[in-house]
Amino acid sequence: MRKVLVPTDFSDNAFNALKYACQIFKYEKSEFFILHAYADEVYRQDALEERSELNELKDSVFQQSEEKLKHIKTQLKEYSPNPHHKYRFVSVFATLIDAANDWVGDENMDIVVMGTRGETNDRKLTFGSNTLQVLKYVDCPVLAIPEGYVYHPPKEILFPTNYLVPYKRRELKLLCDMTGSFRSTIHMLYIDPIKKLSLRQEDNQEFLKGCLQKPKLVFETSPEKEKTIAISKYIVHKKIDMLVIVNSRHSYIEDMLYRSTIDELGLHVKIPFLVMQNLTR
């Protein structure tokens, strides 16, 4: 059974990400864990001076969280009455990163799905602070859904790669199953002025072919020097529905996850963005 962790801050963007998760896994038996971590909400209250006040506030926020999760449960019954899906609703006094990593480890989650921004994030930024932290530090593939994104099947997937980072079979299988359900095409984009692959790169390319047998694979090369520009152009020209990047040292994600780079290049990802963490679990 597919295990999907969906953090929520009860914003519209968070619920939109949950709806996308229900659709992208609609053909698979899946268990969704809808998680609200509320430690930051409690500690944000600067007026707290006594431990008793802290405990009272923790209880109050917990009760509010439970009520809001019940509301989400009602909404889900109306939106996605899928017999293949099960739902668990969790309120936890912890930071989002700690809670997410605990649940990923304890339940051996396959993927985290969340919105790109929360309720309080700067609207000018592509990624909110919580999303950036989860993308970089949670030990699990993360699928970020842009604010207001209207679901449609992920038919065209862009997977930029230099064929040098080591790939993990488990995470490639996740991508294979996701895209295979929709008979998707994965565009493997190699961005380098030198088109000739080394023997190591050729072997890694063959490994990808072996692991991604369900979708159609298309291999492309771009001579563009700036990777983020090449990716942005390809998304527009090929009408890409989802961007996939492996989070590894010296991978393309380093050029894309830092706000300054995103803002300078005007790269605002408006499609679902899957980050595979390249970690053994």
Side-chain angles (χ1 to χ4, degrees), residues 199-215:
L199 295 179
R200 178 184 176 186
Q201 288 173 312
E202 289 178 353
D203 288 344
N204 280 334
Q205 188 182 71
E206 289 302 314
F207 179 74
L208 286 169
K209 290 178 182 179
C211 292
L212 299 172
Q213 295 185 354
K214 293 181 181 179

Side-chain angles (χ1 to χ4, degrees), residues 20 24 26-27 149-159 175 178-188 214-218 234 238-244 271-272:
Y20 187 95
I24 200 75
K26 64 183 177 181
Y27 300 117
Y149 183 81
V150 178
Y151 172 82
H152 60 275
K155 294 290 189 179
E156 304 295 329
I157 316 295
L158 176 58
F159 190 156
L175 177 61
M178 282 175 52
T179 54
S181 297
F182 298 96
R183 297 182 179 178
S184 306
T185 297
I186 298 182
H187 300 254
M188 310 298 298
K214 293 181 181 179
K216 176 183 177 182
L217 300 185
V218 175
Y234 200 95
K238 297 293 185 177
K239 298 181 180 179
I240 296 298
D241 302 311
M242 181 185 291
L243 175 63
V244 179
I271 57 175

Side-chain angles (χ1 to χ4, degrees), residues 83-99:
H84 296 303
H85 291 172
K86 294 181 179 180
Y87 302 99
R88 289 176 61 179
F89 300 87
V90 184
S91 299
V92 58
F93 180 69
T95 64
L96 175 58
I97 300 302
D98 287 343

Side-chain angles (χ1 to χ4, degrees), residues 36-259:
H36 179 59
Y38 59 89
D40 288 341
E41 294 177 46
V42 173
Y43 289 129
R44 198 179 295 137
Q45 307 298 320
D46 296 331
L48 292 175
E49 295 182 357
E50 302 293 333
R51 179 66 57 181
S52 59
E53 292 179 313
L54 174 66
N55 292 333
E56 288 178 9
L57 183 58
K58 284 169 62 176
D59 290 340
S60 174
V61 174
F62 172 76
Q63 293 300 328
Q64 293 174 29
S65 176
E66 290 292 285
E67 287 301 315
K68 290 178 180 178
L69 287 174
K70 287 180 182 177
H71 180 61
I72 290 178
K73 184 176 182 179
T74 300
Q75 288 179 294
L76 278 176
K77 286 182 178 179
E78 297 176 359
Y79 177 76
S80 181
N82 191 328
H84 296 303
H85 291 172
K86 294 181 179 180
Y87 302 99
R88 289 176 61 179
F89 300 87
V90 184
S91 299
V92 58
F93 180 69
T95 64
L96 175 58
I97 300 302
D98 287 343
N101 265 325
D102 286 345
W103 280 87
V104 164
D106 292 345
E107 294 291 338
N108 199 21
M109 297 288 179
D110 293 297
I111 189 170
V112 176
V113 182
M114 66 186 300
T116 54
R117 289 191 299 231
E119 194 70 62
T120 60
N121 287 131
D122 188 337
R123 319 318 288 174
K124 296 179 182 178
L125 299 176
T126 300
F127 297 104
S129 57
N130 280 337
T131 310
L132 278 171
Q133 294 297 307
V134 172
L135 285 170
K136 291 193 287 186
Y137 299 122
V138 170
D139 300 340
C140 183
V142 179
L143 178 58
I145 310 302
E147 183 178 34
Y149 183 81
V150 178
Y151 172 82
H152 60 275
K155 294 290 189 179
E156 304 295 329
I157 316 295
L158 176 58
F159 190 156
T161 176
N162 58 11
Y163 301 117
L164 289 175
V165 298
Y167 305 100
K168 300 303 180 186
R169 289 185 184 274
R170 173 176 177 169
E171 303 202 347
L172 289 174
K173 185 179 186 305
L174 168 72
L175 177 61
C176 182
D177 291 342
M178 282 175 52
T179 54
S181 297
F182 298 96
R183 297 182 179 178
S184 306
T185 297
I186 298 182
H187 300 254
M188 310 298 298
L189 181 63
Y190 176 59
I191 306 171
D192 199 303
I194 302 174
K195 294 184 178 182
K196 177 67 175 175
L197 299 181
S198 67
L199 295 179
R200 178 184 176 186
Q201 288 173 312
E202 289 178 353
D203 288 344
N204 280 334
Q205 188 182 71
E206 289 302 314
F207 179 74
L208 286 169
K209 290 178 182 179
C211 292
L212 299 172
Q213 295 185 354
K214 293 181 181 179
K216 176 183 177 182
L217 300 185
V218 175
F219 294 90
E220 303 271 12
T221 300
S222 170
E224 181 71 56
K225 292 183 179 179
E226 178 52 63
K227 297 178 181 67
T228 48
I229 292 177
I231 291 168
S232 185
K233 286 180 178 178
Y234 200 95
I235 288 173
V236 173
H237 293 160
K238 297 293 185 177
K239 298 181 180 179
I240 296 298
D241 302 311
M242 181 185 291
L243 175 63
V244 179
I245 289 183
V246 177
N247 184 9
S248 177
R249 179 174 288 184
H250 305 310
S251 70
Y252 296 146
I253 197 172
E254 292 187 10
D255 296 325
M256 300 183 66
L257 286 189
Y258 296 98
R259 297 177 186 176

